[in-house]
């Protein structure tokens, strides 16, 4: 540390090990990243970070972190020097396993099952995902303990059939070695590698969910090309929405031409007999709305989330806005929208999943509310499973009640003056540019 370097970043954990190297303490943090060590036996975590002055007029760093703050940290003791054990404990703390409740059944995986294993925890599995343009499985690995690792092995499923090394963008990089169903590779300290893997056919097959897109009587146009106008003030740009949206394992067909949205007017439709669940891809054009649907004779009450309000936000004191996180399953978000045939930046559009139990009755009546727009629907045949643990944090809406003292108000006004800023370009244009409802139209 020095007068100019008094804080350093650390994303997941920091450690203080005794000079003897016999023991140490690691501090794990899920969301606070600033640390300093002003004494040899003291670590300090920065909880709130609020500079006295603003760098730019549109960022207002002088109000940064004021408001509601929720964070978690953990203390982990270890023998010897810091190493893979701290890395592993940090991952377990920051990304705990998600539990589901499903229908009671005998099960084919017995009481214990592991989909993957590594030869050493010095190498971290950073990500596992399906490849963008193939049926391969992409894994991203990183050495995390500042060691050279020779002959590291990774096993997935019933074994790996073939592998190739790729860049993070999934372009080919080179060949990879597979030995006895295991990926084999070496790592330099802190080296990161990505691989595309083809797995062997699994000996135990699960029941794959089947989703069948439902044909709807679309009556409005909400997807437009550049220069075109639709039936709504804001529309989804044709060039960015895909022909098929897959969310939560459900496939939705998107009708991009002519009429491609259904406004809810109490219409009724019937789903296939095999569907035990029907999922709507929809949103409200006028704020979050309570909706009343019918499945058979049963009334189903649900909330249809706003198409234009973001799923979540922080406390933003400069704009008198408070934090919230919505309850819902976000399925598709458009990064921007069209208005009068032109791009509108900072005006995203958000569509959500609404799931209906159609295991008994197959007839669905939509609500009579033209503010609700349905982009697609799909009939699903799948085993039912429900989250037993939260998938994300919850923040209830609350009124804005922050008050400044007279002195604080004077400092707030003074810090917004142009001569107090480090970056003074576009001072007038960028003033309060961060507001959610502000629009930027590209001619």
């Amino acid at each position: 540390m020095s007068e100019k370097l008094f804080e350093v970043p650390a994303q997941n954990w920091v450690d203080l090990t005794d000079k003897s190297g016999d023991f140490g303490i690691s501090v794990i943090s899920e969301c606070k990243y600033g640390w300093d060590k002003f004494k040899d036996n003291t670590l300090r975590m920065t909880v709130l970070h609020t500079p006295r002055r603003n760098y730019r007029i549109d960022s207002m760093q002088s109000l940064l972190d004021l408001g509601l703050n929720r964070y978690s940290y953990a203390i982990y003791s270890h023998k010897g020097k810091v190493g893979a054990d701290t890395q592993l404990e940090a991952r377990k703390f920051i990304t705990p396993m998600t539990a589901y409740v499903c229908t009671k059944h005998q099960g084919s995986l017995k009481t214990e099952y592991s989909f993957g294993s590594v030869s050493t925890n010095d190498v971290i599995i950073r990500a596992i995902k399906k490849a963008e343009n193939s049926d391969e499985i992409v894994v991203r690995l990183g050495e995390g303990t500042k060691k050279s690792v020779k002959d590291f092995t990774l096993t997935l499923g019933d074994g790996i059939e073939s592998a190739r090394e790729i860049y993070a963008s999934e372009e080919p990089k080179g060949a990879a070695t597979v030995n006895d169903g295991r990926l084999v590779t070496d790592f330099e300290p802190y080296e990161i590698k990505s691989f595309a893997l083809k797995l062997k056919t699994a000996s135990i097959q699960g029941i794959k969910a089947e989703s069948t897109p439902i044909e709807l009587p679309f009556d409005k146009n909400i997807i437009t090309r550049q220069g075109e106008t639709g039936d709504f003030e804001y529309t989804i740009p044709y060039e960015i929405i895909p022909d098929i949206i897959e969310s939560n394992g459900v496939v939705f067909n998107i009708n991009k031409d002519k009429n491609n949205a259904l406004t809810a007017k109490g219409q009724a439709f019937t789903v296939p007999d095999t569907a035990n669940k029907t999922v709507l891809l929809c949103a409200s054009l006028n704020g979050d709305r309570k909706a009343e649907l019918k499945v058979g004779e049963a009334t189903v009450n649900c909330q249809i989330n706003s198409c234009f309000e973001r799923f979540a936000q922080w406390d933003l004191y400069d704009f008198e806005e408070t934090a919230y996180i919505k309850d819902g399953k976000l399925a598709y978000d458009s990064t921007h929208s069209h208005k009068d045939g032109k791009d509108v930046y900072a005006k995203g559009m958000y569509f959500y999943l609404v799931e209906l139990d159609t295991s008994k009755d197959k007839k669905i009546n939509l609500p009579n509310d033209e503010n609700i727009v349905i982009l697609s629907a799909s009939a699903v045949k799948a085993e039912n499973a429900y989250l037993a643990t939260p998938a994300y944090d919850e923040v209830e809406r609350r009124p804005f009640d922050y008050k400044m003292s007279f002195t604080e108000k004077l400092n707030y006004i003074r810090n917004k003056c142009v001569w107090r800023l480090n970056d003074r370009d576009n001072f007038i244009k960028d003033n309060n540019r961060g507001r959610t409802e502000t629009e930027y139209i590209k001619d």
Side-chain angles (χ1 to χ4, degrees):
M1 298 295 169
S2 66
E3 290 184 2
K4 293 185 177 181
L5 180 63
F6 54 88
E7 187 181 54
V8 295
Q11 286 192 334
N12 295 336
W13 57 268
V14 295
D15 183 82
L16 191 60
T17 297
D18 184 69
K19 291 181 178 180
S20 67
D22 295 335
F23 62 93
I25 294 288
S26 299
V27 184
I28 300 167
S29 172
E30 54 142 4
C31 64
K32 299 297 181 181
Y33 308 130
W35 304 84
D36 68 279
K37 177 175 171 284
F38 67 99
K39 294 180 182 178
D40 280 346
N41 63 349
T42 305
L43 283 173
R44 194 160 55 179
M45 175 174 68
T46 301
V47 174
L48 300 179
H49 191 276
T50 307
R52 292 184 62 183
R53 294 176 59 175
N54 301 309
Y55 187 80
R56 289 175 54 88
I57 190 61
D58 59 348
S59 54
M60 290 302 295
Q61 288 99 328
S62 63
L63 296 178
L64 184 71
D65 278 357
L66 294 184
L68 178 66
N69 282 264
R70 291 180 180 174
Y71 59 95
S72 300
Y73 65 92
I75 297 174
Y76 173 70
S77 60
H78 59 84
K79 291 182 178 181
K81 295 181 179 180
V82 63
D85 289 347
T86 292
Q87 292 271 25
L88 184 59
E89 289 299 319
R91 299 204 304 278
K92 288 160 62 177
F93 179 76
I94 295 168
T95 54
M97 293 187 67
T98 303
Y100 293 84
V101 176
C102 60
T103 306
K104 184 179 179 180
H105 60 285
Q106 186 63 33
S108 54
L109 298 177
K110 302 186 178 178
T111 58
E112 184 176 308
Y113 173 77
S114 175
F115 177 70
S117 63
V118 294
S119 57
T120 173
N121 284 324
D122 290 345
V123 176
I124 302 167
I125 301 177
R126 301 287 186 183
I128 301 179
K129 64 180 287 288
K130 183 182 176 298
E132 294 294 318
N133 299 312
S134 72
D135 290 331
E136 295 167 301
I137 301 295
V138 170
V139 295
R140 189 162 175 82
L141 307 168
E143 199 287 318
T145 59
K146 201 179 179 180
K147 299 177 183 176
S148 295
V149 177
K150 301 296 182 184
D151 297 326
F152 165 82
T153 62
L154 167 70
T155 303
L156 291 180
D158 283 359
I160 298 169
E161 186 173 293
S162 62
R164 57 191 180 91
E165 189 170 1
I166 58 176
Y167 292 100
S169 55
E170 300 190 19
E171 296 156 322
K173 184 177 181 180
T177 301
V178 174
N179 187 4
D180 194 25
R182 295 180 175 87
L183 172 71
V184 182
T185 189
D186 300 332
F187 286 89
E188 295 300 320
Y190 296 143
E191 185 177 11
I192 297 173
K193 291 184 175 182
S194 298
F195 297 91
L197 312 177
K198 183 177 180 182
L199 303 187
K200 295 181 179 180
T201 303
S203 57
I204 299 175
Q205 297 289 330
I207 300 174
K208 185 178 180 180
E210 299 176 7
S211 60
T212 305
I214 298 172
E215 291 190 10
L216 297 175
F218 295 125
D219 59 354
K220 299 288 184 179
N221 179 18
I222 200 171
I223 301 173
T224 58
R225 289 180 168 87
Q226 200 79 18
E228 297 179 346
T229 58
D231 294 319
F232 304 93
E233 182 180 10
Y234 298 98
T235 56
I236 304 170
Y238 181 97
E239 61 271 17
I240 64 173
I241 189 168
D243 296 324
I244 295 174
I245 293 174
E246 184 172 351
S247 176
N248 209 36
V250 181
V251 176
F252 297 96
N253 284 348
I254 304 300
N255 184 24
K256 297 173 65 171
D257 297 305
K258 299 181 180 178
N259 287 340
N260 40 51
L262 176 64
T263 51
K265 303 174 185 176
Q267 304 95 321
F269 61 92
T270 302
V271 301
D273 291 338
T274 56
N276 56 2
K277 182 169 66 174
T278 300
V279 186
L280 308 179
L281 178 61
C282 59
S284 163
L285 300 179
N286 186 18
D288 296 342
R289 301 182 72 81
K290 300 295 184 182
E292 185 178 285
L293 300 89
K294 297 195 75 172
V295 178
E297 297 301 318
T299 299
V300 178
N301 294 304
C302 61
Q303 176 166 295
I304 310 297
N305 285 334
S306 170
C307 186
F308 302 112
E309 186 180 51
R310 290 189 175 97
F311 181 77
Q313 73 175 23
W314 292 280
D315 278 9
L316 297 172
Y317 277 18
D318 194 35
F319 305 142
E320 299 187 1
E321 296 174 353
T322 56
Y324 66 83
I325 301 177
K326 292 191 177 187
D327 182 15
K329 295 182 178 180
L330 180 61
Y332 175 74
D333 65 288
S334 173
T335 56
H336 64 286
S337 58
H338 281 169
K339 182 180 181 180
D340 299 328
K342 298 177 182 179
D343 288 322
V344 184
Y345 300 123
K347 190 71 173 180
M349 300 179 70
Y350 308 90
F351 289 83
Y352 295 82
L353 302 182
V354 171
E355 300 177 342
L356 303 171
D357 184 353
T358 51
S359 57
K360 297 179 180 178
D361 294 301
K362 307 300 176 183
K363 183 180 178 181
I364 297 175
N365 283 84
L366 297 176
N368 191 9
D369 186 345
E370 294 188 36
N371 288 294
I372 297 173
V373 174
I374 300 165
L375 201 58
S376 186
S378 193
V380 180
K381 178 184 177 183
E383 297 294 325
N384 287 324
Y386 305 94
L387 277 170
T389 53
Y392 51 85
D393 293 335
E394 297 177 358
V395 179
E396 297 292 334
R397 293 180 186 267
R398 68 192 200 284
F400 180 83
D401 56 5
Y402 176 67
K403 299 292 189 299
M404 291 185 187
S405 68
F406 179 74
T407 302
E408 290 172 335
K409 188 68 174 179
L410 286 179
N411 284 330
Y412 166 75
I413 296 171
R414 188 165 66 99
N415 285 331
K416 293 192 76 169
C417 296
V418 65
W419 56 85
R420 297 279 294 173
L421 303 177
N422 292 82
D423 185 351
R424 302 170 185 175
D425 294 341
N426 300 320
F427 175 80
I428 301 298
K429 186 179 74 173
D430 290 344
N431 191 18
N432 277 2
R433 182 168 180 165
R435 286 194 70 88
T436 301
E437 60 267 27
T438 304
E439 299 174 7
Y440 310 101
I441 300 178
K442 179 182 178 182
D443 293 328

